[in-house]
Amino acid sequence: MRSDQVKKGISRAPHRALFKAMGYTDEELAGPIIGVANSFNEIIPGHIHLRAITDAVKSGIRAAGGTPVEFGIPGVCDGIAMGHTGMHYSLPSRELIADAVEIMAQAHMFDGLVLIPNCDKIIPGMLMAAGRVNIPTVVVSGGPMLAGELDGEKIDLNTVFEGVGAQAAGKITEEGLKAIEERACPGCGSCAGMFTANTMNCLTEVLGMGLPGNGVIPAVDARRIRLAKAAGRQVMELVKADLRPRDIMTKAAFTNAFTVDMAIGGSTNTILHLPAIAREVGVELDLNRINEISRRTPHLCHLRPGGPHHIQDLDAAGGIPAVMATLAERGLIDSSCRTVTGRTVEENLQGVRVLRPDVIRPLDNPYHQEGGLAILFGSLAPDGAVVKQSAVDPAMMRHEGPARVFDSEEAAIEAILGGRIKPGDVVVIRYEGPKGGPGMREMLSPTSAIAGMGLDREVALLTDGRFSGASRGASIGHISPEAAEGGPVALVKEGDRIKIDIPGYRLDLLVPEEELARRRQEWRPPQPKITTGYLARYSNQVKSANTGAITDAG
């Protein structure tokens, strides 16, 4: 066993003494030691209940003859961090999380890992570490939040963000917004909808790193506790079989993940996270390949924020296995991939069927013929930009309009809520990329304000930053190269015409090349916004969004 390096032999008597100081017995030290990464904290609704999930995991490990060793992992709540300085830290925390898991697993020679995330950057950070450390690992999330309800309608966190814009536009009263605030988030779990956290938890299952049900069983459902116990037992089977993350997260598994991502209309942030995870297992992902997958994959599930259904509806419909089984009917899933169940995808899908065809549509009746995400290229985004096309109104799939240019998210929000953005405008928010932000802030506030004011069918929003998985409308992010690196988005001036052609995968700045060359000569890099601490180091190391915003050191 790997853990023998810290517990076996005469020379390890001091090490055993330290274990015994914590109450471990000789019998416990005789078995495999499994690290249990618990990202519990009291600031993320998706993590507030993770002590119960962790206890269930540990009971499963003990039942299978292992010794669980729990350790903590940091996490940022994107919703609470949004719209202020805190959001600069969210994406960079992904690298810290990966490093923290690696440090704990390698310093203490665990035989296996169970990773317990639930929200946004915590999930990909833990998966990056799993690929890097490459010891038997199972991921089990805390599960999604149930939708709230008000006046007989389902609501969620996105309803609150859009309510802010609606109140500013005079469409609802302050009392009406307060009523939404009180009911939108009824309890623990990752925010209800196919936002970033739930998308990544679903794709963890598709990658083969989570047990069936990982993505959609609600946080408050007893099945979630049973799943956690099963994860604890299963990691012991993986240790016995020496089945490791790099055996599971193959190139075919990532293709499966992107395919399901397209079918469920997942968050644009997967275009950051999947390449970063793939890099840790030596798999190269090409953004052009994503468009190929999108073109062949029908959009089968229309979930919030773009559609009417919530994650609990997808659970009732049969969950991610039912989506995969549907896609497999057309040969769109590589069923030979191995998973943490110890079985292949094909074996896992035996007997799986769709229970609600209104939620998971059949292949001959999709919501859209193409997948939920698209990568746009053109003179404004030579290295690519990302849009959640399944959440774009048909009227905005092709659009041309004047640029309204802002060098920060705050300036754009002030203009939007102040009524200075008009139908037809193309709002450009720049210097918010990985390096320029720094940290590539998530921008749910401006997109929600536009939607809440009823402008999402008439106004586009472009940025070298990123959007929340809850964003909808013609919101195009991850523009690469970013403005801080002198990308074309840095050269846009107020009133320039910008052309968006989502079906054609194009994003173009309609300015003559000779004029752009003149502007390029005049452009100077901005002074860094933050010059000390972690963010200064991150800004110096981070690469463009089209790489997955990886760091030189990561």
Side-chain angles (χ1 to χ4, degrees):
M1 285 185 291
R2 189 170 183 261
S3 61
D4 286 348
Q5 296 176 69
V6 298
K7 68 183 186 183
K8 190 173 183 179
I10 297 297
S11 66
R12 295 301 185 243
H15 303 63
R16 293 191 296 275
L18 291 169
F19 274 104
K20 289 177 179 180
M22 296 178 281
Y24 290 97
T25 66
D26 286 330
E27 290 76 18
E28 287 176 306
L29 295 180
I33 295 179
I34 308 299
V36 180
N38 179 7
S39 55
F40 163 83
N41 62 42
E42 295 182 341
I43 196 65
I44 308 178
H47 292 230
I48 193 70
H49 64 304
L50 291 190
R51 282 175 172 160
I53 300 295
T54 301
D55 285 345
V57 165
K58 292 195 291 187
S59 72
I61 293 169
R62 291 191 185 99
T67 299
V69 175
E70 179 184 342
F71 61 95
I73 292 296
V76 171
C77 179
D78 278 26
I80 294 174
M82 200 171 296
H84 57 87
T85 300
M87 184 47 73
H88 289 292
Y89 289 87
S90 177
L91 182 60
S93 75
R94 186 187 71 180
E95 317 308 309
L96 278 179
I97 290 159
D99 292 348
V101 174
E102 175 195 0
I103 287 167
M104 293 299 290
Q106 300 291 59
H108 305 105
M109 287 290 119
F110 297 140
D111 296 300
L113 288 168
V114 179
L115 307 177
I116 308 174
N118 209 26
C119 291
D120 293 325
K121 312 313 156 302
I122 299 96
I123 306 157
M126 285 188 170
L127 284 167
M128 289 165 66
R132 189 184 301 171
V133 175
N134 199 37
I135 60 176
T137 301
V138 178
V139 180
V140 59
S141 79
M145 184 185 294
L146 294 176
E149 188 169 324
L150 182 64
D151 298 329
E153 299 288 332
K154 291 286 194 298
I155 61 173
D156 53 44
L157 180 66
N158 205 40
T159 314
V160 191
F161 274 100
E162 293 186 2
V164 174
Q167 196 274 331
K171 294 185 175 184
I172 62 172
T173 65
E174 190 171 336
E175 291 74 19
L177 179 58
K178 177 70 171 176
I180 295 171
E181 172 190 329
E182 292 291 337
R183 300 276 188 141
C185 299
C188 64
S190 47
C191 297
M194 194 51 75
F195 312 145
T196 303
N198 289 325
T199 303
M200 287 305 303
N201 280 326
C202 288
L203 298 190
T204 297
E205 193 176 325
V206 182
L207 282 171
M209 291 299 294
L211 297 174
N214 182 73
V216 299
I217 296 174
V220 295
D221 195 312
R223 289 177 296 152
R224 179 61 57 179
I225 297 296
R226 298 200 295 271
L227 185 75
K229 290 179 181 178
R233 291 192 300 270
Q234 191 56 32
V235 75
M236 295 297 293
E237 295 299 318
L238 300 186
V239 170
K240 291 175 189 174
D242 197 29
L243 184 60
R244 304 183 181 210
R246 292 182 194 174
D247 302 321
I248 293 169
M249 290 193 286
T250 62
K251 190 162 191 174
F254 282 99
T255 299
N256 283 349
F258 275 122
T259 299
V260 172
D261 196 9
M262 298 302 170
I264 62 177
S267 166
T268 54
N269 286 318
T270 59
I271 307 301
L272 282 176
H273 299 321
L274 288 177
I277 298 163
R279 179 174 180 262
E280 298 288 356
V281 296
V283 171
E284 294 279 337
L285 297 180
D286 181 358
L287 289 185
N288 286 291
R289 173 74 172 142
I290 295 169
N291 282 338
E292 293 175 22
I293 294 170
S294 181
R295 279 191 287 266
R296 76 184 191 200
T297 306
H299 177 215
L300 302 178
C301 304
H302 208 21
L303 304 165
R304 287 279 292 162
H309 298 126
H310 285 84
I311 298 295
Q312 64 208 63
D313 300 312
L314 181 55
D315 177 46
I320 293 302
V323 176
M324 294 179 73
T326 302
L327 294 168
E329 292 173 14
R330 193 179 286 178
L332 296 173
I333 293 292
D334 187 330
S335 297
S336 68
C337 293
R338 303 172 77 182
T339 73
V340 293
T341 66
R343 301 185 297 271
T344 64
V345 169
E346 181 178 16
E347 291 169 324
N348 288 342
L349 297 182
Q350 291 297 314
V352 171
R353 62 187 181 91
V354 174
L355 303 177
R356 282 187 56 184
D358 61 315
V359 177
I360 303 173
R361 286 193 173 182
L363 292 168
D364 59 2
N365 184 33
Y367 285 99
H368 304 96
Q369 292 296 331
E370 292 191 2
L373 300 179
I375 311 299
L376 312 184
F377 296 92
S379 60
L380 189 56
D383 293 338
V386 184
V387 64
K388 190 171 186 174
Q389 61 180 346
S390 61
V392 178
D393 188 272
M396 291 297 292
M397 294 295 283
R398 289 186 173 90
H399 178 76
E400 182 181 321
R404 303 297 309 279
V405 184
F406 303 93
D407 287 348
S408 71
E409 178 188 8
E410 290 82 358
I413 292 172
E414 181 182 356
I416 294 165
L417 294 179
R420 301 201 303 273
I421 301 303
K422 305 302 179 186
D425 285 350
V426 178
V427 176
V428 177
I429 304 177
R430 63 190 180 190
Y431 296 108
E432 291 285 8
K435 184 178 293 293
M440 204 178 184
R441 290 192 289 176
E442 191 170 272
M443 298 184 202
L444 181 54
S445 293
T447 60
S448 297
I450 286 172
M453 297 177 80
L455 293 172
D456 56 306
R457 293 177 175 85
E458 301 173 286
V459 170
L461 198 155
L462 317 181
T463 182
D464 55 2
R466 62 192 177 91
F467 295 113
S468 164
S471 295
R472 63 185 176 95
S475 302
I476 301 170
H478 305 200
I479 291 175
S480 300
E482 64 174 289
E485 292 188 330
V489 68
L491 309 179
V492 181
K493 290 191 174 182
E494 188 82 6
D496 285 350
R497 303 291 292 183
I498 292 176
K499 184 176 181 180
I500 300 164
D501 181 4
I502 295 173
Y505 304 102
R506 296 288 304 181
L507 180 62
D508 289 295
L509 176 60
L510 304 182
V511 173
E513 180 53 43
E514 54 270 24
E515 170 61 16
L516 290 179
R518 185 187 66 77
R519 294 181 189 179
R520 199 171 286 113
Q521 288 293 319
E522 295 176 351
W523 179 82
R524 296 293 180 270
Q527 291 296 313
K529 296 176 186 175
I530 297 174
T531 58
T532 60
Y534 177 61
L535 288 180
R537 297 197 303 275
Y538 178 84
S539 181
N540 286 332
Q541 294 177 343
V542 72
K543 295 182 180 294
S544 173
N546 66 298
T547 70
I550 59 173
T551 60
D552 287 334

